[in-house]
Amino acid sequence: MCSVVSRVKPVRRVLALALRLGADAEGSSGSAARSGRFRPAVCAGVDPPPASARRYCTRMAAGDGPLLRQLFEVESSTYTYLLADRATKEAVLIDPVLETVDRDLKLIRELGLNLTVAVNTHCHADHITGTGLMKKRLVGLKSAICKFSGASADVLLSEGDKIAFGKHYLTVRETPGHTDGCMTLVLEDQSMAFTGDTLLIRGCGRTDFQQGSPEMLYKSVHQKIFTLPDQCLVYPAHDYLGQTVSTVGEERQFNPRLTKSLEEFVNIMNNLNLRKPAKIDFFLPTQKLQFLLIWFVDYMKFE
């Protein structure tokens, strides 16, 4: 957390974060859609990368694919992804974290990019999104999240919607189960999928809180992710073992949970007995307070 927030008392910390996050609710989805950037649907050791990942890295080096940077936040083991069109420099950021906003903005400036969209794959319980603070730092930046998340954003996405950046775009696939508002973002040529907490490397997101449903998660993975090409790279929102990338083919074959039958999977998920996320008691009240402050600011405009 930034140094200013870390010095205030607990109650004031909640207020400070809520004010920062409040920027997420500004703007409207209509103006963003009209701009053409969002196209609604008509829908310690690191393992070596798989061969498909090496082939894709070669293709990116040749300039055919978008620029990709995978960034890591240590405390919550969260991956943030920066994608950009190499020609137009238009960029998209996936799952920014509050504590690493300065790092991300520095990289964006260094690469000469124009960040147009910051999108969250779902409402996070283990960290606080950096989208609100980024919107205060970058004029014109739009926030985006699934419409079923219950969160506020400039653009509320649904199945088949597209997030454009230059000649490239990400297509939304709704993949609920970890939460109601989870989504997977798939690059236009289906060479990459950003799966959030729905599908992890040799694992998956938990289903014991925030509208979680093991049956729904199993269905989401098998119908929306495992139907992608085998060589499609899987980039998750988290990893706790130093792994950075997998493929759809690998996960379909080796994922110890999702290779089971539905009945076996549900039994596994219902008996994980995991501790609740470290920041859930802080995040959820902060989110509620954020909505209250947004309402108060809007109310005062008419007084």
Side-chain angles (χ1 to χ4, degrees):
M1 185 150 315
C2 67
S3 58
V4 174
V5 177
S6 64
R7 290 196 295 268
V8 298
K9 295 179 181 179
V11 173
R12 294 180 62 194
R13 182 183 298 118
V14 172
L15 289 169
L17 284 170
L19 288 170
R20 286 184 171 187
L21 293 167
D24 258 353
E26 297 173 1
S28 67
S29 58
S31 61
R34 286 191 296 272
S35 72
R37 185 168 301 125
F38 297 92
R39 297 199 283 270
V42 179
C43 147
V46 179
D47 292 340
S52 57
R54 292 194 294 272
R55 286 195 297 272
Y56 187 73
C57 288
T58 301
R59 185 167 73 85
M60 286 201 299
D64 297 330
L67 179 148
L68 170 66
R69 293 291 184 271
Q70 183 182 49
L71 307 166
F72 188 65
E73 194 279 313
V74 176
E75 184 179 355
S76 61
S77 297
T78 298
Y79 284 124
T80 296
Y81 298 95
L82 176 65
L83 293 97
D85 183 283
R86 294 173 182 274
T88 68
K89 302 296 184 181
E90 197 170 13
V92 173
L93 194 67
I94 301 173
D95 287 334
V97 179
L98 180 64
E99 287 84 349
T100 54
V101 164
D102 289 338
R103 175 204 66 187
D104 298 346
L105 292 179
K106 180 175 181 289
L107 177 61
I108 289 164
R109 287 193 298 268
E110 289 173 346
L111 298 178
L113 303 178
N114 174 28
L115 183 64
T116 57
V117 182
V119 55
N120 285 287
T121 54
H122 64 294
C123 249
H124 306 278
D126 53 359
H127 69 268
I128 299 170
T129 178
T131 309
L133 181 57
M134 280 194 161
K135 280 168 57 66
K136 288 184 177 295
R137 301 273 188 90
L138 291 178
V139 176
L141 178 64
K142 297 292 184 182
S143 59
I145 199 167
C146 179
K147 70 178 183 180
F148 298 113
S149 67
S152 58
D154 296 308
V155 180
L156 298 178
L157 298 163
S158 58
E159 180 76 22
D161 286 351
K162 292 177 172 59
I163 304 172
F165 56 106
K167 69 178 181 181
H168 303 288
Y169 61 85
L170 296 166
T171 301
V172 174
R173 294 192 176 198
E174 293 172 4
T175 50
H178 173 61
T179 73
D180 279 350
C182 284
M183 60 184 182
T184 292
L185 302 172
V186 182
L187 194 64
E188 72 273 0
D189 62 357
Q190 297 190 349
S191 62
M192 292 188 282
F194 301 89
T195 56
D197 282 15
T198 300
L199 178 63
L200 306 179
I201 299 174
R202 307 300 191 266
C204 63
R206 62 195 295 175
T207 58
D208 58 337
F209 68 96
Q210 279 190 299
Q211 317 94 40
S213 165
E215 293 89 353
M216 192 174 293
L217 190 146
Y218 188 90
K219 179 180 178 181
S220 292
V221 172
H222 281 267
Q223 294 184 1
K224 300 292 185 68
I225 300 176
F226 281 179
T227 52
L228 291 166
D230 281 354
Q231 67 272 21
C232 178
L233 299 176
V234 171
Y235 287 107
H238 300 281
D239 191 84
Y240 309 97
L241 299 174
Q243 303 166 112
T244 57
V245 63
S246 183
T247 68
V248 168
E250 284 183 37
E251 295 308 312
R252 194 188 295 116
Q253 184 177 359
F254 300 121
N255 192 295
R257 297 178 185 174
L258 289 155
T259 51
K260 307 292 186 183
S261 68
L262 173 59
E263 183 179 358
E264 291 173 311
F265 177 77
V266 170
N267 183 61
I268 290 171
M269 299 304 292
N270 286 341
N271 290 280
L272 291 177
N273 299 317
L274 299 171
R275 292 182 298 175
K276 64 181 180 180
K279 292 189 177 182
I280 190 170
D281 290 332
F282 179 58
F283 168 78
L284 293 180
T286 300
Q287 186 181 47
K288 291 177 181 178
L289 181 57
Q290 173 194 348
F291 294 148
L292 177 61
L293 288 172
I294 291 168
W295 172 85
F296 179 73
V297 169
D298 288 342
Y299 174 79
M300 292 301 293
K301 288 178 182 177
F302 296 99
E303 285 298 300

